[in-house]
Amino acid sequence: MSITGLEKPHILTQGLWLPEQIQQGERQAAAAMGMAMFELMSRAGLAAFELARRQWPQARHWWVFCGGGNNGGDGYVVARLARAAGIHVQLVQMGDAEALSGDAATARNHYRADGGAIKQLGALQGTPDLVIDALLGTGLSGTPRGAALQHIAAINRLNVPVLAMDVPSGLCAGTGCIPAEAVSAHTTISFVGLKTGLLTGRGPDVCGHVCLADLGIQHRLPSMPVVELLHWHTQRKALPARRRGAHKGETGRLLVAGGYAGMSGAIRLAGEAALRCGTGLVRLVSHASHVHWLNLTRPELMTATFPEFSQWHWCDALVTGPGLGRNDWSRALMAAALNAGKPMVIDADALHLLQGKVPVQAVLTPHSGEAAALLGCTAAEIETNRLAAVQELREQTGAVVVLKGAGTLIAGPSGTALCPHGNPGMASGGMGDLLSGIIGAFLAQGLAPESAARLGVCLHACAGDMAAAQGMTGMLASDLLYPVRSLINQTDDYDNNKPDTGR
């Protein structure tokens, strides 16, 4: 059994499961190994205990919050181990401790047999150094109410480190949505396999540092992960190769079309991003009101005005949407771009002008609001289940779909992938335009749409993390241009060393 984090890729952190897959699969895996389910509960409690001791060695007063299911049973195991180590433990049971059944009741009995006391919320005394959240786990269905909300709120008021077991209570482990309120954890230890909701939607807001304890059975799960987890050290292998005698004509020609009057910045950012990703030639097709100065400080960019421009056949790939607008000029440009029949990235306003005409080799890059417009629902509905939304868009359009946001999702012919990189500093204007240019660059250099999208998303997010080393607040999209180039040209893995294989 090992505990691994996401900072250094590991063979155990290459995929994400739905909670129901884990719930069904762990029983089958344990049975195949001749292991009792209580042994699995004991392993989970031990893993959480060891992680807590390692991360907070000075914490000598723990509060352990237990719910009514097996997650609560895990908490009882942790509490028993902590008491045996000389730690002052106060355990609070949500609901009636006598109502526990099965393995959770066994864990409760062992805790009591070792002298452990069970308290109610109002009987807790003092202030803890650490809280263990074992309230709801992955079994959350519907909106937490009554006692559950009361206990979640009590944890969040404490302002002390929280270790969440499997998933912060109140977070939907499968979707990443929070129906009411969720525990805000410093660290979350996920058992057996990583759950999809930990890393997308609201999950990153409340999970903190995510670790995985496989409990020694992940390799025996009967089902495969529903989502592939992207890591830069593997994605960088898809970077286009360049021969020693290469010339600019064979390293890709990209058209970036957009930029209505007053919106020149978006197309300029996309174009420069494409250059920094190694595209040989980039031409910006934009509005006459500003096209003459788009390349004043970046003379390597070529420019052209629309509707005068007609050489759409010149390019290997297209990006359309950055700063496009939604007027007659925009619609005419969009129609011309679609008629070119080239692989293309469709972003921003261009997504609103598609009218069902999605090219075969297209990458759509909506945020939740744009995805909602495409699916005829609200952005809030998209965020209740981002995984289902990106898969539905993929099914409806046939395109590769990038659903941007925390835990960006990419759905394509090979299935669905999630990028765990990125940070809140990237919530600023122009970041999406930069991403469009990056993906477009790889399309122009000959990558298939899915490969270009996966590589581009991962590169963009990792560049954002590098730029954030100077501070997240006030970070600009253009701050990512140097890290993008640096990452592409690195000879060592982004994660410093070769990924841990667990051997």
Side-chain angles (χ1 to χ4, degrees):
M1 185 175 69
S2 61
I3 300 175
T4 59
L6 296 182
E7 285 75 11
K8 184 178 181 182
H10 186 285
I11 58 170
L12 296 176
T13 61
Q14 303 304 305
L16 300 171
W17 278 264
L18 294 174
E20 51 266 31
Q21 286 182 286
I22 300 295
Q23 290 161 7
Q24 296 167 7
E26 65 185 7
R27 292 188 177 277
Q28 297 176 46
M33 298 171 69
M35 181 191 301
M37 289 302 292
F38 184 72
E39 168 64 18
L40 208 58
M41 180 175 287
S42 299
R43 290 187 181 190
L46 176 60
F49 169 73
E50 290 180 340
L51 178 60
R53 287 300 300 272
R54 185 165 72 235
Q55 244 182 281
W56 298 282
Q58 305 305 317
R60 305 301 301 169
H61 182 190
W62 295 11
W63 285 5
V64 182
F65 285 73
C66 295
N70 283 341
N71 196 241
D74 298 340
Y76 276 98
V77 175
V78 172
R80 180 173 57 82
L81 293 170
R83 289 187 76 256
I87 294 168
H88 176 41
V89 174
Q90 293 189 74
L91 183 147
V92 58
Q93 172 68 54
M94 182 180 70
D96 184 6
E98 304 307 318
L100 295 176
S101 61
D103 294 324
T106 302
R108 175 205 61 200
N109 293 340
H110 287 183
Y111 170 74
R112 275 180 170 163
D114 287 346
I118 300 173
K119 297 186 176 184
Q120 295 297 304
L121 184 60
L124 294 170
Q125 296 178 345
T127 302
D129 303 316
L130 175 67
V131 167
I132 306 296
D133 167 27
L135 283 172
L136 301 180
T138 62
L140 176 67
S141 59
T143 302
R145 302 182 188 278
L149 281 180
Q150 183 183 11
H151 285 71
I152 290 170
I155 293 173
N156 287 338
R157 284 195 299 268
L158 287 170
N159 196 30
V160 298
V162 177
L163 173 61
M165 299 187 69
D166 226 1
V167 61
S169 293
L171 174 72
C172 179
T175 65
C177 76
I178 298 175
E181 182 179 3
V183 167
S184 182
H186 178 279
T187 300
T188 298
I189 181 168
S190 183
F191 300 127
V192 183
L194 293 170
K195 286 76 180 177
T196 52
L198 299 177
L199 300 178
T200 194
R202 295 290 308 281
D205 289 342
V206 297
C207 288
H209 173 66
V210 177
C211 297
L212 169 67
D214 74 306
L215 308 186
I217 69 166
Q218 188 187 104
H219 67 289
R220 299 298 295 267
L221 289 177
S223 60
M224 297 298 292
V226 294
V227 175
E228 180 182 346
L229 199 60
L230 301 181
H231 292 292
W232 174 242
H233 85 275
T234 53
Q235 289 305 306
R236 71 190 307 274
K237 297 172 185 176
L239 286 167
R242 183 175 293 195
R243 66 184 182 90
R244 183 74 175 175
H247 59 80
K248 64 180 181 289
E250 67 181 67
T251 56
R253 302 181 183 211
L254 181 70
L255 282 177
V256 184
Y260 184 63
M263 294 185 285
S264 59
I267 191 173
R268 164 60 197 273
L269 281 168
E272 185 161 357
L275 287 175
R276 292 299 185 185
C277 289
T279 311
L281 295 166
V282 178
R283 176 173 286 165
L284 309 183
V285 181
S286 195
H287 197 272
S289 64
H290 54 240
V291 72
H292 60 284
W293 53 261
L294 277 175
N295 62 352
L296 282 180
T297 56
R298 181 56 60 218
E300 296 87 350
L301 288 167
M302 297 181 287
T303 63
T305 60
F306 183 80
E308 290 78 11
F309 180 75
S310 61
Q311 299 175 15
W312 299 93
H313 63 279
W314 171 85
C315 68
D316 298 304
L318 264 161
V319 173
T320 184
L324 179 62
R326 303 184 204 176
N327 50 50
D328 290 344
W329 181 89
S330 312
R331 282 185 281 273
L333 186 149
M334 181 67 178
L338 290 171
N339 286 336
K342 301 287 185 176
M344 63 191 303
V345 180
I346 302 173
D347 183 32
D349 289 325
L351 293 166
H352 294 275
L353 302 179
L354 269 175
Q355 297 180 334
K357 302 173 184 177
V358 182
V360 175
Q361 292 184 287
V363 179
L364 311 184
T365 60
H367 54 56
S368 58
E370 292 157 348
L374 291 170
L375 291 176
C377 62
T378 66
E381 289 173 308
I382 296 293
E383 290 298 313
T384 61
N385 195 332
R386 287 169 51 82
L387 177 59
V390 75
Q391 291 173 338
E392 185 176 353
L393 277 171
R394 161 70 185 163
E395 184 176 343
Q396 287 193 10
T397 64
V400 173
V401 181
V402 175
L403 181 56
K404 297 182 289 192
T408 291
L409 292 159
I410 305 105
S414 300
T416 308
L418 181 147
C419 177
H421 307 293
N423 61 80
M426 299 173 73
S428 65
M431 288 290 177
D433 305 311
L434 207 73
L435 176 61
S436 294
I438 292 170
I439 297 174
F442 296 133
L443 280 180
Q445 292 175 68
L447 267 63
E450 184 177 39
S451 296
R454 290 184 171 201
L455 175 62
V457 166
C458 205
L459 173 61
H460 178 258
C462 289
D465 287 342
M466 286 184 68
Q470 306 300 316
M472 287 189 290
T473 302
M475 191 163 70
L476 304 179
S478 55
D479 293 336
L480 274 62
L481 290 169
Y482 178 78
V484 160
R485 185 183 177 198
S486 176
L487 283 166
I488 287 175
N489 288 283
Q490 276 184 346
T491 55
D492 295 323
D493 288 335
Y494 175 67
D495 298 290
N496 298 321
N497 295 297
K498 292 182 179 179
D500 184 0
T501 63
R503 299 196 179 108

